[in-house]
Amino acid sequence: MKKKLVVLSGAGISAESGIKTFRDSDGLWEGHNVMDVATPEGWRNNQELVLDFYNQRRRQLHEVQPNLGHKILAELENDFDVHIITQNVDNLHEQAGSSKVLHLHGELFKVRSIKDKNYILDWKTDLKTGDLDANGFQLRPHIVWFGEDVPALEEALAITQQADYFVIVGTSMQVYPAAGLVEFTPPNIPIYYIDPHPATIRNLSNPLEIIPMNATEGVPFLKEKLMK
């Protein structure tokens, strides 16, 4: 039986592939206030702006590649039962070859009905006003916006509770409920935190090792450590 390695990944690992994040620019994401493009209120106020914003993100995703951090995490499947829980809406983990990826905040290459949250379609091109579900309701980006429930959270908790190792990579640990997953790890399992600017994790009884590197340096370093 392979040991279960659970990875919580965030914007930092995608940033190294050229995907812009909003955590490092005063709450602006590609020049937009997050509240305008990543909330249900933003959608109601200006649907065209939101559609255009995610169309641009979707187009960008066609132009970027997984980096060494993504690739090494995929390689670790040779020796571990690797489960990736990601806050990222790109598919770079899947492109790199990871087979068990749970997206907490949705996926750029999917859309869903505004009426039926279980009506989800794969979608690689622009989404426009007038693109409808089978019942005539508008389709929206399949993204968990601020203020919305996180449907994948229960599955993420169940995976976390079975971990033999827990790895945090490229996340500021500021966005909840994702940041709270670390509190559900089994007692005494090792936790590794890879980030050049790691946050302070309080009230943690597990052994914690900080690896103050970006993902392309820190994930290979971690693999070497785990393989010893």
Side-chain angles (χ1 to χ4, degrees), residues 19-188:
I19 290 181
K20 296 276 179 68
T21 73
F22 65 81
R23 83 176 189 186
D24 51 15
S25 57
D26 303 326
L28 295 180
W29 192 2
E30 295 281 8
H32 292 283
N33 186 312
V34 171
M35 303 311 287
D36 293 335
V37 294
T39 62
E41 293 76 21
W43 172 257
R44 286 194 292 270
N45 292 338
N46 194 338
Q47 181 175 306
E48 289 300 326
L49 173 69
V50 176
L51 287 172
D52 180 60
F53 177 81
Y54 288 100
N55 287 341
Q56 290 183 47
R57 307 285 77 69
R58 208 176 290 111
R59 286 179 216 142
Q60 182 189 32
L61 190 46
H62 286 290
E63 298 168 0
V64 296
Q65 301 290 329
N67 60 55
L68 187 62
H70 295 107
K71 291 173 183 173
I72 298 292
L73 287 176
E75 283 177 17
L76 282 167
E77 291 191 12
N78 294 327
D79 299 285
F80 298 90
D81 178 16
V82 182
H83 289 254
I84 293 175
I85 301 167
T86 186
Q87 297 169 268
N88 300 331
V89 296
D90 59 67
N91 68 343
L92 293 175
H93 283 299
E94 289 92 337
Q95 281 192 47
S98 289
S99 62
K100 296 173 183 172
V101 184
L102 181 66
H103 288 267
L104 281 177
H105 297 156
E107 298 180 61
L108 264 180
F109 278 164
K110 292 185 177 177
V111 299
R112 73 172 187 261
S113 166
I114 59 167
K115 197 72 175 172
D116 178 3
K117 64 184 179 193
N118 296 314
Y119 187 98
I120 300 167
L121 300 173
D122 291 325
W123 203 275
K124 299 284 182 73
T125 59
D126 285 1
L127 180 65
K128 305 181 187 70
T129 297
D131 289 327
L132 310 176
D133 70 9
N135 293 313
F137 293 102
Q138 176 66 36
L139 296 169
R140 56 161 273 185
H142 183 47
I143 303 292
V144 176
W145 288 326
F146 291 99
E148 293 186 320
D149 290 336
V150 181
L153 183 61
E154 279 189 32
E155 187 179 349
L157 287 171
I159 292 167
T160 299
Q161 288 167 339
Q162 298 168 359
D164 294 303
Y165 303 93
F166 193 80
V167 179
I168 303 161
V169 56
T171 171
S172 59
M173 298 297 281
Q174 302 299 311
V175 178
Y176 285 81
L181 285 174
V182 70
E183 297 165 21
F184 292 87
T185 53
N188 303 319

